[in-house]
Amino acid sequence: MADNDGYCVRITAASFVGVKEKGGNNKGFTDKDLQTQLYKAGWRAGYAWCAFFVKAILDDCGIPNTVTGWSPSAYNRKDVIFTDGVFYKSFKEGDVLVATFTYSNFKKSRFKGIGHTGIVDRIGEHSIRSIEGNTNEQGMRDSRSRDGVYVKIRPLSKNTHITRWKKAVSFRE
């Protein structure tokens, strides 16, 4: 038997796929449950919300975290799985994994130029599947074109970072 926190995070995030902003410009949502959870996580109308989405999902599943509304805070320096194009640690299906994404032109900055984040759903050989808030079908991250929660396929590149917020715990009965 194994701990299923990773499953909780993925299934909870997936339950919001398709939710859109109501009115645009980060003013609110078509789904009251998402809006309530984001509000509990600290989001307010007008704020960018990708990191609030990650925090709300982790909080809902009882995962200890230090994520704020600022996307670089979703990068857990204490447990880096993949960064700068290299896998540093192995991972398990039940791990709670979060992706952060760098803007290339700010990569050498103190916080790796991180400007977006999402929940890791699957990791493949060359890409990840993530569930992200405050994005769009094209995956753009500028505030004028983001409108909801989407499943995204993104390359495992030097601009992708994966960190673990909780390890799966295996035990025998």
Side-chain angles (χ1 to χ4, degrees):
M1 196 170 198
D3 191 18
N4 63 0
D5 289 324
Y7 177 77
C8 177
V9 168
R10 291 189 309 275
I11 201 75
T12 303
S15 73
F16 293 112
V17 170
V19 172
K20 304 272 189 175
E21 288 184 8
K22 186 168 73 177
N25 295 319
N26 307 323
K27 290 181 184 170
F29 305 90
T30 58
D31 184 287
K32 290 288 184 203
D33 187 37
L34 177 61
Q35 186 159 322
T36 299
Q37 286 194 33
L38 289 174
Y39 197 81
K40 282 187 209 172
W43 173 84
R44 298 298 179 264
Y47 291 6
W49 54 277
C50 64
F52 286 114
F53 177 74
V54 168
K55 178 172 180 46
I57 299 301
L58 297 179
D59 288 351
D60 193 50
C61 291
I63 308 302
N65 68 86
T66 55
V67 179
T68 67
W70 187 49
S71 56
S73 70
Y75 181 90
N76 183 5
R77 299 171 195 260
K78 295 177 183 174
D79 204 351
V80 177
I81 303 297
F82 179 90
T83 196
D84 299 323
V86 177
F87 277 101
Y88 288 93
K89 294 182 181 177
S90 61
F91 57 92
K92 294 181 185 173
E93 179 72 20
D95 290 350
V96 175
L97 303 174
V98 171
T100 51
F101 306 99
T102 296
Y103 291 108
S104 298
N105 51 333
F106 295 112
K107 189 159 175 110
K108 296 198 187 280
S109 74
R110 181 172 174 205
F111 300 102
K112 293 185 168 285
I114 292 169
H116 188 62
T117 186
I119 300 293
V120 175
D121 186 38
R122 292 266 184 260
I123 301 175
E125 188 176 345
H126 302 288
S127 63
I128 66 166
R129 183 171 66 198
S130 55
I131 302 167
E132 303 170 22
N134 209 21
T135 191
N136 63 20
E137 289 178 328
Q138 293 78 36
M140 299 168 86
R141 298 177 284 189
D142 68 274
S143 61
R144 293 173 303 284
S145 61
R146 300 177 291 202
D147 69 355
V149 179
Y150 293 87
V151 173
K152 307 300 300 177
I153 306 292
R154 297 199 184 263
L156 281 171
S157 71
K158 291 188 176 192
N159 293 333
T160 302
H161 317 284
I162 301 169
T163 60
R164 179 172 26 221
W165 284 92
K166 187 170 184 189
K167 268 188 173 182
V169 179
S170 297
F171 58 92
R172 295 177 186 219
E173 294 187 81

